[in-house]
Amino acid sequence: MDKSGGYRDDRENHVLLITVINPAFPITCEIIHKVCDPIGKVLRVVIFKKNGVQAMVEFDTIESAKKVKSELHGCDIYTGCCTLRIEYAKPTRLNVYKNDSESFDFTKPNMAR
């Protein structure tokens, strides 16, 4: 963990840590997928709410993650709120044990809920 309590690293990785600033609306795995997947193929998403709303998103390649980071960092999901701060995460793979609104493995969409 870094000093802010997040899981970030400066090294390029195919897992991104997304912090949602001013989350005025609920943020789910489906929302994160809808925002990121058109830019880079999303494999897995895990949302946690220790320090506000954060999500770790695993992409198919480092290139996909780099593209998402460069295109979405600083953007709003909804006008005037839900601003995305995007950094590289430390983990290189996400473990998802069930598919629900806070964790989802898009490579196994039929996994038990």
Side-chain angles (χ1 to χ4, degrees), residues 18-78:
I18 299 176
T19 302
V20 182
I21 300 162
N22 189 19
F25 298 98
I27 302 300
T28 64
C29 290
E30 194 57 43
I31 298 289
I32 297 293
H33 184 266
K34 211 174 265 189
V35 168
C36 295
D37 199 65
I39 300 166
K41 183 165 177 54
V42 173
L43 302 181
R44 293 170 196 87
V45 177
V46 177
I47 294 175
F48 46 102
K49 297 176 178 165
K50 278 186 182 169
N51 302 310
V53 177
Q54 293 183 305
M56 282 213 227
V57 184
E58 181 180 346
F59 293 90
D60 60 341
T61 65
I62 289 176
E63 289 72 29
S64 289
K66 282 171 73 171
K67 191 171 182 197
V68 168
K69 184 177 186 293
S70 71
E71 290 189 27
L72 293 181
H73 179 74
C75 293
D76 294 346
I77 296 176
Y78 303 103

Side-chain angles (χ1 to χ4, degrees), residues 10 14 26 28 92 104:
D10 293 330
H14 65 280
T28 64
T92 56
F104 207 97

